[in-house]
Amino acid sequence: MNHDNRTPAHAPLPAPSAPLGTKAPAPGQLPAQGGGEQTRIHNIGYRSYDGPRLGRAYARRSLFAQSLKGAYGLGRSAKSKVLPMIIFAVMCIPALVMVAVAVTTKLNDLPVEYTRYAIIMQAVIGLFLAGQAPQSVSRDLRFRTVPLYFSRPVERVDYVVAKFGAMATALFILTASPLLILYIGSLLAKMDFSDQTAGLAQGLVSVALLSVLFGGIGLVLAAFTPRRGFGVAAVIAVLTISVGAVTTLQGIAWATDNLGAIEWLGLFSPITLIDGVQTAFLGATSSFPNESGPGAGPGAVYLLTVLALIAGSYAVLMRRYRRVGL
Amino acid sequence: MIATESLSKRFPRVTALDRLSLDIGPGVTGLVGANGAGKSTMIKILLGLSPATEGRAEVLGLDVATSGGAIRERVGYMPEHDCLPADVSATEFVVHMARMSGLPPTAARERTADTLRHVGLYEERYRPIGGYSTGMKQRVKLAQALVHDPKLVLLDEPTNGLDPVGRDEMLGLIRRVWTDFGISVLVTSHLLGELERTCDHVVVIDGGRLLRSSSTSDFTQATATLAIEVTDTDAHPDGTKALREALTAAGVALHAGEEEGLPGAGHILLLDAEGEETYDIVRDTVAELGLGLVRMEQRRHRIAEVFRAEAPADAERPADTHRPADAGRPAQEVQSR
């Protein structure tokens, strides 16, 4: 095989008398003999590619970007844009309303803390995750596209990191956007700049942690349910059942004056974990009954649990893709 | 292109490859073996995705154990199974795969358009893949393996599931990948017949061991066997017999033995076609006798016969037990696939 005589993909069309490169010209590829400019060659046969090959890191970035855009339906069918866009709007509209109210009535404080917003909107976040996590990973598994990635420079770790990163980033965009709206509104309403900035920073840290945690949980569930419908159901079920169980038990604990149990029960659902971490470390007001969120000591347990869940999600995904590779 | 040296792959319970030494040059090479002969294991090792138990392998001069990434950048792979998402168009899918191979966005789009055209997908490439026929899907699978202009493509059973016409088209396309595109091909198949037309070189593996490696022309000798079947007429109640006598009279050497075990085998004449004139003699003789010519087809010495010849040497396993698709059946089945 001789690559040298093939025409580079990006070279201008060869001059009519120049060798056209491929070994056996395609039918339409006749050497034009002195025809000059008017003899355009339409079927130029096979062109080889001598341009850059950007390798593994580029492929990983491309996969990340494609997955992130895909989470909002960009680059997909019009139908698949509907749900994420509606969810994004639903997520932001309350913030816009609060800002409008705050600006017109000249409030001194936002009606909601930055750290509280995501807790209030947890169902919306769960819905987004349930829709998009299966979309991101179930398709590749169900259509058995994964081996095509691993037969390329992309490796298992690249695939998992790109998908995990994209899901977490998509969730972060969803949860951080309303916080930014609140922040801009608070400045327009001439609230205290340093208070608001600190509040925003705390809120952003909290939703960043939430995004990575939820992203990991959603992807793990989706990666084990190749049928997309089951994936959606599994994510919704895990999120709602866990939080439902935790709040019910917390309510019972409160009603039975068992206040010590409340702060530990929060360890058993993702959103109450985030609530506990931000109560302990990010100056948030706990949404637990009686506001009896964890202090610094139990808070450390919360934080460690969150980090362990994130690391666990990553490890499970890596294992999962070891089994489906080629 | 590919060189292996006593390459072995053992799993806890089976030996997939057993001290396989190969040297495969540029061109189209067929890798033949029954299901479970070790073809897929071989491809995994060549892509650097599965470490060999012992021995070594090189692809494009790169060691698979240490340069897997560099190999996968310059090698294309078409899996045997379905691997296409149903809900995106061929263009979107192949562009994405091109980028996964490291092509910059613009180049990925250009190469996708070129490659899809070369494999024969035109307007339909903008429609979702879910609506494609099996033949079109196979073309998309081939396109994603070629889009980054590899030096070598590994095609795993590319004709699986295709009808006879689709098979012929796919085989023609594979041939062009080498002759027109200059990309070497390693194609696996369990059907021997289709490889003799497509490949320059055929490697036969069985139970992880090398059974034979040689150029296709060695397998299939130059002289072709012609199979002829004619109708009976009122004038010649046994048309076959009449033709046999007439051809013998015309000096054409007929095979003594007839194909056995097939319906209608007694009505098929086999003869050696020594050149163009044999075809003319047959045509003229049939016309003179006023018979209807049902079939006149080439029966080359098929690769399948290699198995029959070599099987006795492979005493522990007779060929028929593990290659029912080809060896067990006479040649016609393979031919009329």
Side-chain angles (χ1 to χ4, degrees), chain A residues 160-175:
Chain A
V160 170
V161 165
K163 288 286 183 188
F164 201 152
M167 196 68 240
T169 309
L171 283 168
F172 184 72
I173 291 172
L174 181 75
T175 49

PDB file of all heavy atoms in Angstrom, chain A residues 160-175:
ATOM      1  N   VAL A 160     -16.232   7.150  30.710  1.00  0.00           N
ATOM      2  CA  VAL A 160     -16.931   7.344  31.977  1.00  0.00           C
ATOM      3  C   VAL A 160     -16.765   8.783  32.467  1.00  0.00           C
ATOM      4  O   VAL A 160     -17.731   9.435  32.870  1.00  0.00           O
ATOM      5  CB  VAL A 160     -16.437   6.329  33.032  1.00  0.00           C
ATOM      6  CG1 VAL A 160     -16.977   6.668  34.403  1.00  0.00           C
ATOM      7  CG2 VAL A 160     -16.854   4.921  32.642  1.00  0.00           C
ATOM      8  N   VAL A 161     -15.545   9.296  32.390  1.00  0.00           N
ATOM      9  CA  VAL A 161     -15.304  10.666  32.859  1.00  0.00           C
ATOM     10  C   VAL A 161     -16.105  11.660  32.026  1.00  0.00           C
ATOM     11  O   VAL A 161     -16.726  12.584  32.555  1.00  0.00           O
ATOM     12  CB  VAL A 161     -13.792  10.991  32.815  1.00  0.00           C
ATOM     13  CG1 VAL A 161     -13.556  12.482  32.935  1.00  0.00           C
ATOM     14  CG2 VAL A 161     -13.069  10.247  33.927  1.00  0.00           C
ATOM     15  N   ALA A 162     -16.128  11.469  30.706  1.00  0.00           N
ATOM     16  CA  ALA A 162     -16.851  12.404  29.843  1.00  0.00           C
ATOM     17  C   ALA A 162     -18.345  12.366  30.137  1.00  0.00           C
ATOM     18  O   ALA A 162     -18.996  13.412  30.255  1.00  0.00           O
ATOM     19  CB  ALA A 162     -16.591  12.078  28.374  1.00  0.00           C
ATOM     20  N   LYS A 163     -18.893  11.161  30.272  1.00  0.00           N
ATOM     21  CA  LYS A 163     -20.338  11.057  30.513  1.00  0.00           C
ATOM     22  C   LYS A 163     -20.706  11.587  31.898  1.00  0.00           C
ATOM     23  O   LYS A 163     -21.698  12.301  32.066  1.00  0.00           O
ATOM     24  CB  LYS A 163     -20.774   9.587  30.391  1.00  0.00           C
ATOM     25  CG  LYS A 163     -20.779   9.067  28.963  1.00  0.00           C
ATOM     26  CD  LYS A 163     -21.949   9.632  28.191  1.00  0.00           C
ATOM     27  CE  LYS A 163     -22.024   9.077  26.764  1.00  0.00           C
ATOM     28  NZ  LYS A 163     -23.047   9.774  25.967  1.00  0.00           N
ATOM     29  N   PHE A 164     -19.908  11.231  32.888  1.00  0.00           N
ATOM     30  CA  PHE A 164     -20.142  11.685  34.262  1.00  0.00           C
ATOM     31  C   PHE A 164     -20.020  13.207  34.313  1.00  0.00           C
ATOM     32  O   PHE A 164     -20.898  13.906  34.841  1.00  0.00           O
ATOM     33  CB  PHE A 164     -19.108  11.017  35.188  1.00  0.00           C
ATOM     34  CG  PHE A 164     -19.501  10.977  36.645  1.00  0.00           C
ATOM     35  CD1 PHE A 164     -19.015   9.970  37.471  1.00  0.00           C
ATOM     36  CD2 PHE A 164     -20.330  11.927  37.199  1.00  0.00           C
ATOM     37  CE1 PHE A 164     -19.351   9.918  38.818  1.00  0.00           C
ATOM     38  CE2 PHE A 164     -20.676  11.888  38.547  1.00  0.00           C
ATOM     39  CZ  PHE A 164     -20.188  10.881  39.346  1.00  0.00           C
ATOM     40  N   GLY A 165     -18.954  13.715  33.744  1.00  0.00           N
ATOM     41  CA  GLY A 165     -18.730  15.158  33.756  1.00  0.00           C
ATOM     42  C   GLY A 165     -19.850  15.902  33.055  1.00  0.00           C
ATOM     43  O   GLY A 165     -20.305  16.949  33.526  1.00  0.00           O
ATOM     44  N   ALA A 166     -20.303  15.352  31.933  1.00  0.00           N
ATOM     45  CA  ALA A 166     -21.347  16.035  31.168  1.00  0.00           C
ATOM     46  C   ALA A 166     -22.652  16.068  31.950  1.00  0.00           C
ATOM     47  O   ALA A 166     -23.338  17.092  31.987  1.00  0.00           O
ATOM     48  CB  ALA A 166     -21.550  15.333  29.826  1.00  0.00           C
ATOM     49  N   MET A 167     -22.983  14.959  32.601  1.00  0.00           N
ATOM     50  CA  MET A 167     -24.230  14.908  33.362  1.00  0.00           C
ATOM     51  C   MET A 167     -24.165  15.875  34.542  1.00  0.00           C
ATOM     52  O   MET A 167     -25.115  16.629  34.795  1.00  0.00           O
ATOM     53  CB  MET A 167     -24.441  13.476  33.870  1.00  0.00           C
ATOM     54  CG  MET A 167     -25.836  13.178  34.345  1.00  0.00           C
ATOM     55  SD  MET A 167     -27.004  13.173  32.979  1.00  0.00           S
ATOM     56  CE  MET A 167     -28.109  14.456  33.501  1.00  0.00           C
ATOM     57  N   ALA A 168     -23.038  15.875  35.246  1.00  0.00           N
ATOM     58  CA  ALA A 168     -22.899  16.778  36.390  1.00  0.00           C
ATOM     59  C   ALA A 168     -22.941  18.230  35.925  1.00  0.00           C
ATOM     60  O   ALA A 168     -23.572  19.081  36.564  1.00  0.00           O
ATOM     61  CB  ALA A 168     -21.596  16.480  37.134  1.00  0.00           C
ATOM     62  N   THR A 169     -22.289  18.517  34.805  1.00  0.00           N
ATOM     63  CA  THR A 169     -22.288  19.890  34.299  1.00  0.00           C
ATOM     64  C   THR A 169     -23.691  20.317  33.883  1.00  0.00           C
ATOM     65  O   THR A 169     -24.111  21.448  34.147  1.00  0.00           O
ATOM     66  CB  THR A 169     -21.322  20.017  33.116  1.00  0.00           C
ATOM     67  OG1 THR A 169     -20.061  19.478  33.499  1.00  0.00           O
ATOM     68  CG2 THR A 169     -21.148  21.466  32.713  1.00  0.00           C
ATOM     69  N   ALA A 170     -24.423  19.408  33.241  1.00  0.00           N
ATOM     70  CA  ALA A 170     -25.791  19.736  32.834  1.00  0.00           C
ATOM     71  C   ALA A 170     -26.638  20.058  34.063  1.00  0.00           C
ATOM     72  O   ALA A 170     -27.406  21.026  34.064  1.00  0.00           O
ATOM     73  CB  ALA A 170     -26.400  18.567  32.063  1.00  0.00           C
ATOM     74  N   LEU A 171     -26.477  19.263  35.120  1.00  0.00           N
ATOM     75  CA  LEU A 171     -27.232  19.520  36.346  1.00  0.00           C
ATOM     76  C   LEU A 171     -26.788  20.830  36.987  1.00  0.00           C
ATOM     77  O   LEU A 171     -27.602  21.574  37.537  1.00  0.00           O
ATOM     78  CB  LEU A 171     -27.031  18.365  37.343  1.00  0.00           C
ATOM     79  CG  LEU A 171     -27.814  17.093  37.046  1.00  0.00           C
ATOM     80  CD1 LEU A 171     -27.313  15.960  37.926  1.00  0.00           C
ATOM     81  CD2 LEU A 171     -29.306  17.312  37.289  1.00  0.00           C
ATOM     82  N   PHE A 172     -25.488  21.102  36.898  1.00  0.00           N
ATOM     83  CA  PHE A 172     -24.991  22.341  37.502  1.00  0.00           C
ATOM     84  C   PHE A 172     -25.569  23.550  36.780  1.00  0.00           C
ATOM     85  O   PHE A 172     -25.974  24.526  37.413  1.00  0.00           O
ATOM     86  CB  PHE A 172     -23.462  22.361  37.465  1.00  0.00           C
ATOM     87  CG  PHE A 172     -22.869  23.559  38.149  1.00  0.00           C
ATOM     88  CD1 PHE A 172     -22.897  23.668  39.534  1.00  0.00           C
ATOM     89  CD2 PHE A 172     -22.305  24.593  37.416  1.00  0.00           C
ATOM     90  CE1 PHE A 172     -22.366  24.778  40.175  1.00  0.00           C
ATOM     91  CE2 PHE A 172     -21.776  25.706  38.048  1.00  0.00           C
ATOM     92  CZ  PHE A 172     -21.802  25.791  39.434  1.00  0.00           C
ATOM     93  N   ILE A 173     -25.630  23.472  35.448  1.00  0.00           N
ATOM     94  CA  ILE A 173     -26.222  24.577  34.688  1.00  0.00           C
ATOM     95  C   ILE A 173     -27.669  24.774  35.118  1.00  0.00           C
ATOM     96  O   ILE A 173     -28.138  25.891  35.328  1.00  0.00           O
ATOM     97  CB  ILE A 173     -26.125  24.292  33.173  1.00  0.00           C
ATOM     98  CG1 ILE A 173     -24.660  24.366  32.729  1.00  0.00           C
ATOM     99  CG2 ILE A 173     -26.981  25.272  32.375  1.00  0.00           C
ATOM    100  CD1 ILE A 173     -24.431  23.915  31.309  1.00  0.00           C
ATOM    101  N   LEU A 174     -28.366  23.646  35.294  1.00  0.00           N
ATOM    102  CA  LEU A 174     -29.779  23.707  35.681  1.00  0.00           C
ATOM    103  C   LEU A 174     -29.953  24.331  37.058  1.00  0.00           C
ATOM    104  O   LEU A 174     -30.852  25.140  37.280  1.00  0.00           O
ATOM    105  CB  LEU A 174     -30.366  22.289  35.678  1.00  0.00           C
ATOM    106  CG  LEU A 174     -31.839  22.152  36.030  1.00  0.00           C
ATOM    107  CD1 LEU A 174     -32.694  22.611  34.855  1.00  0.00           C
ATOM    108  CD2 LEU A 174     -32.178  20.726  36.410  1.00  0.00           C
ATOM    109  N   THR A 175     -29.082  23.960  37.997  1.00  0.00           N
ATOM    110  CA  THR A 175     -29.282  24.407  39.380  1.00  0.00           C
ATOM    111  C   THR A 175     -28.605  25.748  39.665  1.00  0.00           C
ATOM    112  O   THR A 175     -29.048  26.475  40.556  1.00  0.00           O
ATOM    113  CB  THR A 175     -28.730  23.351  40.362  1.00  0.00           C
ATOM    114  OG1 THR A 175     -27.410  22.991  39.957  1.00  0.00           O
ATOM    115  CG2 THR A 175     -29.592  22.118  40.395  1.00  0.00           C
TER     116      THR A 175
END
